Amino acid sequence: MGIFAKLRERSAVIGFLVKAQKTAWYPVIYGILCFIGGINGYEVYIPIMWVLISMHLFSVLFTDDDKVFLTPLCMVYFAIGKDNAADSFYTSGGDLLAMMHEDALKHIIAMGIIGVGSFILRLILDGSIAAAFKKRRHFTWGIVAMDIAFLLNGLFSPTYDTANLGFGALLAMGFTVVYFIVSGMLDKSENPIKYACYVTVCLAYSALFQILTVILRLCAEGKYSFDFGENFLISKGSLTLGWGVSNVIAGIIILGIPAAMYLAKNCRGSCFFFLSSILFIFGPILINARCAMAVGIAVFITCAVICCISGKN
């Protein structure tokens, strides 16, 4: 990677773009593009996703701080739009690909191979993967407990079969490997926690604005009501995006609450981030995701207490 480091030092344009990717503006721009892609069909979201992958490849070649990879790693999936009917996920028996045009899937597979392959190659060359497994991480035992939960999930259910063990092992392996690699690649990064919080807040805003756009379209068609009575029991099949159903969308939105509260406590613009955390609570309310409502409120109260009694989160 030495030749690209020399290009970064000699080119003012490349140097500027490398510095820009290490600021909060990079996830902001990424989030805006994800929003535009997520509310449109494949004629729009596929070109946008190629732009996002191109930005990622620029980082692979030129960045000097691996934390910038958190932006595409956490956000690019949420640029996937929807090509078929809103309720196609449910009418197909739970097949998320039913909402996607078959040509779009080919592009996404190609982008996945290019994006993941280049990312892994970069981490191998800069030594991040080798460093990832050399020391025990802060949440190693938490990851172990989660892996055990994945493996034992559904064990006492009357519908349990051996396939559940395989699915659990696949999830456990994926989360564990990603955790160690990401934590390893961030060892040499500057303020990775703050940067990760910026990414999470931008992701939550992108998801919130995407589902708000869907709701506004339903309102224009007379298919949605804000009344908190019987009319509030709207069809969950209508509240879907290309990358997830209503409960998944609500979960992504409430992820922004602790991230926004961390930034409110530790960064400039405290009022904006505090108000953002309150706004993220209303996302699950709009789509009637009751579990996410309860979790979001509990997380907000917990974060508010921590912010009040602690100098640092």
Side-chain angles (χ1 to χ4, degrees):
M1 307 296 286
I3 185 173
F4 298 108
K6 292 179 180 179
L7 286 173
R8 181 180 66 232
E9 295 170 0
R10 294 176 181 176
S11 172
V13 174
I14 293 176
F16 171 79
L17 293 175
V18 168
K19 289 180 181 179
Q21 286 189 327
K22 293 186 285 187
T23 69
W25 287 109
Y26 183 43
V28 168
I29 294 171
Y30 225 89
I32 292 172
L33 292 174
C34 287
F35 163 70
I36 296 172
I39 62 173
N40 288 288
Y42 78 102
E43 299 90 347
V44 175
Y45 73 76
I46 288 300
I48 284 178
M49 291 186 73
W50 277 116
V51 171
L52 298 178
I53 291 297
S54 299
M55 295 162 70
H56 165 69
L57 291 176
F58 177 87
S59 302
V60 168
L61 296 175
F62 295 108
T63 191
D64 57 356
D65 193 333
D66 285 348
K67 72 184 178 188
V68 302
F69 293 117
L70 290 174
T71 298
L73 187 66
C74 296
M75 299 181 71
V76 68
Y77 172 74
F78 300 95
I80 298 176
K82 185 168 54 182
D83 299 309
N84 297 317
D87 62 350
S88 55
F89 174 80
Y90 294 95
T91 57
S92 66
D95 183 8
L96 196 60
L97 295 179
M99 294 190 290
M100 185 183 299
H101 193 281
E102 59 181 16
D103 290 339
L105 181 60
K106 297 175 184 176
H107 282 271
I108 291 174
I109 292 173
M111 284 185 275
I113 293 172
I114 294 171
V116 174
S118 60
F119 175 59
I120 293 175
L121 180 61
R122 161 68 190 237
L123 296 183
I124 291 173
L125 293 176
D126 72 6
S128 295
I129 289 184
F133 299 94
K134 286 185 177 179
K135 66 178 182 180
R136 186 167 67 87
R137 304 287 165 179
H138 291 297
F139 301 105
T140 297
W141 288 113
I143 292 293
V144 170
M146 183 186 69
D147 290 345
I148 293 173
F150 276 134
L151 294 173
L152 299 180
N153 186 40
L155 181 62
F156 301 105
S157 170
T159 60
Y160 180 84
D161 60 45
T162 53
N164 294 94
L165 179 63
F167 289 130
L170 185 63
L171 287 170
M173 181 179 65
F175 276 100
T176 302
V177 171
V178 169
Y179 168 73
F180 278 100
I181 289 178
V182 171
S183 59
M185 81 181 194
L186 296 179
D187 280 344
K188 297 176 287 186
S189 294
E190 182 181 355
N191 293 325
I193 301 300
K194 183 169 75 170
Y195 190 84
C197 288
Y198 282 133
V199 172
T200 307
V201 169
C202 292
L203 172 59
Y205 264 116
S206 181
L208 177 61
F209 287 142
Q210 284 185 42
I211 196 61
L212 281 176
T213 302
V214 172
I215 290 173
L216 291 175
R217 288 172 177 171
L218 291 172
C219 288
E221 298 171 1
K223 298 179 180 178
Y224 181 90
S225 173
F226 287 98
D227 295 336
F228 285 84
E230 293 183 1
N231 292 332
F232 190 68
L233 300 177
I234 55 179
S235 171
K236 287 293 190 101
S238 300
L239 298 177
T240 58
L241 295 168
W243 48 265
V245 296
S246 56
N247 288 334
V248 175
I249 298 164
I252 295 299
I253 293 171
I254 65 171
L255 282 177
I257 295 174
M261 292 295 280
Y262 177 89
L263 295 173
K265 182 65 177 176
N266 296 289
C267 303
R268 290 182 295 178
S270 298
C271 290
F272 169 77
F273 290 115
F274 180 75
L275 293 175
S276 295
S277 65
I278 296 176
L279 182 63
F280 294 148
I281 296 175
F282 286 95
I285 294 175
L286 290 174
I287 55 181
N288 198 24
R290 287 159 293 187
C291 182
M293 293 181 209
V295 173
I297 292 172
V299 169
F300 175 80
I301 294 173
T302 301
C303 291
V305 171
I306 292 173
C307 287
C308 289
I309 65 176
S310 173
K312 290 287 184 180
N313 288 337

